[in-house]
């Protein structure tokens, strides 16, 4: 949670007092509908759908793209595990690609992994760092693939002047406690495609046909589930959206100072669009894993939040047990790993370059609320903790 306060409390109170706590209502517009309009307007996209989680948004995005059994979806080896589990949830097979030093999916490895069954790529803007969207979109066009941007960690980030999540065919967002904006739990999908939106809407709420007054789909109705958001959460999220620009400018301001203070002392990871980067972390690379872990330990002793991404648990593919052990569903008959004719081999060693990069990188977290004075103190500590020869 970055910034949270009176506005959110006021928004929640307004909804509680109205007694209208639901995403759809018979008369008047709901907070959820207002949020969706405001979001689409700000991000310049045609359709937006708020729902219960980022994982739900990824699943709805894939369903919206009509991805299912027999299809392969390429995901990066460094991302929260749900990016890789979402394809399984729609019956498809996740194919794991290496990342490069930008900490995002390596377009060259994506090319290597394309098969006749590949239908989509999920580039993930990890820690707010934009992917190489030019290369990814070019590959997608050439091979007729769909692109679902996982922008869960990159709300408001941009690539060459366009909001992350609007460059591909659809973008997924999360509003859980670790993200740039939060309402407790929440997620959302944005797209310019009416068909993707319609299928996502139908999957996210099997009752949308009678609940949503404006429901006029271009696609056939099918069995959905329930990933609906509460209007209480949407109201809180609207207040959070009002803070997005100031949160981002605080984070980007800190990162600019950190990086300019450290650039001569340490190798900073390359960034595909430094201006569009959300500024969530400052990422630096060391020659060896040992230098990186010693640096983290020294920082921890001074109470500074830093981490090697290799130590971030289920953000690293080698800790994705359901994938590595090929347990893709609750019953074998629904398990893509059992019913698909082609299943790739997975192993903890399959992406050696990713492991090497994640072991040698250190992430230093920025803060949206820290004073300039406190930031300069942290930077002084970081300079002291740096090994003498790192560049
Ligand atoms: C948080 C996150 C998700 C999942 O979001 P939930 O709201 O927790 O379901 C998916 N992908 C990435 C990259 C994330 O960081």
């Amino acid at each position: 949670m970055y910034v949270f306060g009176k506005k959110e409390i006021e928004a929640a109170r307004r909804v509680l007092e109205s007694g209208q706590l639901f995403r759809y209502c018979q008369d008047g517009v709901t907070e959820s509908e207002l949020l969706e309009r405001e979001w689409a307007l700000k991000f310049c996209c045609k359709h937006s759908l708020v729902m219960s989680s980022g994982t739900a948004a990824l699943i709805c995005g894939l369903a919206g793209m009509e991805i299912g059994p027999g299809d392969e979806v390429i995901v990066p080896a460094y991302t929260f595990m749900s990016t890789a589990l979402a394809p399984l949830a729609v019956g498809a097979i996740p194919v794991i690609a290496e990342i490069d030093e930008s900490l995002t999916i390596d377009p060259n490895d994506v090319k290597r992994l394309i098969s006749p069954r590949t239908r989509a790529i999920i580039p993930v803007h990890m820690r707010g760092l934009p992917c190489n969207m030019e290369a990814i979109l070019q590959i997608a066009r050439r091979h007729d693939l769909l692109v679902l941007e996982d922008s869960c960690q990159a709300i408001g980030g941009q690539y060459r002047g366009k909001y992350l999540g609007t460059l591909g065919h659809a973008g997924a967002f999360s509003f859980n406690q670790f993200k740039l904006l939060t309402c407790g739990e929440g997620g959302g999908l944005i797209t310019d495609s009416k068909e993707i939106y319609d299928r996502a809407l139908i999957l996210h709420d099997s009752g949308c046909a009678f609940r949503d007054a404006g429901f006029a789909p271009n696609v056939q109705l099918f069995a959905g589930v329930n990933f609906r958001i509460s209007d209480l959460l949407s109201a809180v999220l609207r207040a959070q959206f009002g803070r997005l620009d100031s949160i981002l400018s605080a984070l980007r301001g800190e990162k600019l100072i950190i990086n300019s203070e450290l650039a001569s002392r340490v190798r900073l990871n390359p960034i595909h669009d430094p201006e569009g980067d959300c500024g969530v972390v400052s990422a630096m690379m060391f020659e060896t894993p040992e230098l990186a872990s010693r640096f983290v330990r020294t920082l921890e002793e001074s109470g500074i939040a830093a981490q090697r991404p290799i130590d971030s648990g289920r953000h690293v593919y080698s800790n994705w047990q359901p994938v590595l052990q090929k347990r893709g569903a609750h019953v074998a008959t629904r398990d893509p790993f059992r019913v698909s004719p082609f299943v790739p081999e997975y192993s903890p060693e399959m992406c050696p370059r990713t492991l090497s990069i994640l072991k040698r990188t250190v992430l230093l977290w920025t803060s949206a609320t820290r004073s300039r004075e406190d930031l300069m103190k942290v930077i002084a500590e970081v300079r002291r903790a740096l090994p003498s020869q790192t560049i």
Side-chain angles (χ1 to χ4, degrees):
M1 193 181 293
Y2 279 82
V3 187
F4 204 86
K6 281 211 177 73
K7 283 182 188 154
E8 287 75 10
I9 294 165
E10 204 34 62
R13 179 203 300 277
R14 193 175 64 236
V15 172
L16 283 170
E17 284 176 354
S18 79
Q20 204 306 107
L21 311 184
F22 311 101
R23 192 238 183 288
Y24 296 114
C25 74
Q26 290 309 315
D27 40 19
V29 282
T30 63
E31 295 284 335
S32 306
E33 285 157 354
L34 290 172
L35 170 63
E36 288 171 346
R37 279 185 213 167
E38 290 160 1
W39 191 18
L41 204 63
K42 181 168 171 67
F43 278 37
C44 299
C45 60
K46 290 198 181 129
H47 308 281
S48 72
L49 180 64
V50 275
M51 59 186 103
S52 56
S53 73
T55 306
L58 288 166
I59 294 169
C60 286
L62 293 172
M65 294 171 172
E66 292 191 288
I67 287 166
D71 297 336
E72 290 177 358
V73 178
I74 300 177
V75 303
Y78 175 50
T79 176
F80 183 56
M81 185 169 65
S82 46
T83 314
L85 300 190
L88 292 168
V90 297
I93 296 283
V95 173
I96 303 175
E98 295 263 25
I99 59 154
D100 59 27
E101 290 190 353
S102 71
L103 306 180
T104 61
I105 196 163
D106 176 2
N108 286 318
D109 209 44
V110 171
K111 271 189 224 161
R112 181 180 67 87
L113 293 168
I114 290 171
S115 81
R117 300 168 297 280
T118 310
R119 287 282 317 284
I121 310 168
I122 309 185
V124 183
H125 309 296
M126 272 305 270
R127 309 296 182 205
L129 298 160
C131 295
N132 182 353
M133 290 308 294
E134 183 184 2
I136 292 161
L137 292 173
Q138 195 181 36
I139 295 167
R141 272 192 301 272
R142 193 162 296 159
H143 296 271
D144 201 17
L145 305 177
L146 293 155
V147 176
L148 172 59
E149 292 176 74
D150 182 336
S151 311
C152 287
Q153 302 193 4
I155 309 161
Q158 298 193 352
Y159 180 81
R160 299 194 181 161
K162 283 188 176 168
Y163 279 104
L164 300 178
T166 66
L167 290 118
H169 298 87
F173 294 82
S174 166
F175 308 112
N176 81 19
Q177 71 267 42
F178 302 115
K179 312 303 198 236
L180 282 153
L181 305 180
T182 191
C183 57
E185 298 285 357
L189 187 77
I190 57 177
T191 179
D192 279 340
S193 157
K194 171 92 167 107
E195 285 72 25
I196 292 177
Y197 170 78
D198 284 341
R199 289 188 204 98
L201 181 76
I202 293 167
L203 181 65
H204 117 286
D205 177 15
S206 49
C208 64
F210 63 85
R211 284 198 187 91
D212 184 349
F215 185 69
N218 286 357
V219 303
Q220 288 253 299
L221 210 57
F222 59 89
V225 291
N226 178 2
F227 294 143
R228 282 197 310 275
I229 195 159
S230 153
D231 222 36
L232 194 54
L233 298 183
S234 290
V236 171
L237 206 49
R238 279 183 78 204
Q240 284 273 289
F241 259 95
R243 300 184 191 270
L244 179 60
D245 291 340
S246 73
I247 291 173
L248 286 173
S249 83
L251 298 179
R252 286 167 169 161
E254 277 216 344
K255 180 161 176 176
L256 215 58
I257 295 172
I258 294 171
N259 284 9
S260 69
E261 291 283 328
L262 299 181
S264 63
R265 290 283 313 277
V266 67
R267 189 151 80 84
L268 299 167
N269 295 53
I271 305 172
H272 291 298
D273 184 342
E275 278 174 45
D277 170 18
C278 297
V280 172
V281 292
S282 190
M284 42 202 88
M285 289 272 293
F286 294 82
E287 278 301 317
T288 66
E290 292 71 32
L291 280 172
S293 62
R294 203 173 313 146
F295 178 57
V296 168
R297 273 201 305 278
T298 314
L299 289 179
E300 278 171 350
E301 283 161 15
S302 326
I304 294 169
Q307 186 187 47
R308 289 193 314 167
I310 194 75
D311 300 321
S312 60
R314 290 192 163 179
H315 292 89
V316 185
Y317 77 94
S318 50
N319 298 321
W320 298 344
Q321 285 92 342
V323 178
L324 296 195
Q325 295 168 7
K326 294 188 183 169
R327 299 187 67 85
H330 59 294
V331 286
T333 44
R334 290 286 302 266
D335 186 346
F337 291 132
R338 312 279 178 97
V339 300
S340 298
F342 298 97
V343 175
E345 282 307 311
Y346 302 97
S347 84
E349 298 84 31
M350 65 186 287
C351 295
R353 200 148 42 88
T354 294
L355 295 177
S356 166
I357 291 167
L358 297 182
K359 280 178 192 164
R360 290 181 296 116
T361 298
V362 173
L363 304 178
L364 199 63
W365 264 266
T366 54
S367 159
T369 51
R370 181 159 55 186
S371 70
R372 182 60 48 89
E373 198 189 345
D374 287 347
L375 171 64
M376 297 317 287
K377 278 186 205 154
V378 166
I379 292 173
E381 288 292 337
V382 172
R383 291 177 74 99
R384 254 197 296 281
L386 276 174
S388 50
Q389 191 63 49
T390 49
I391 283 211

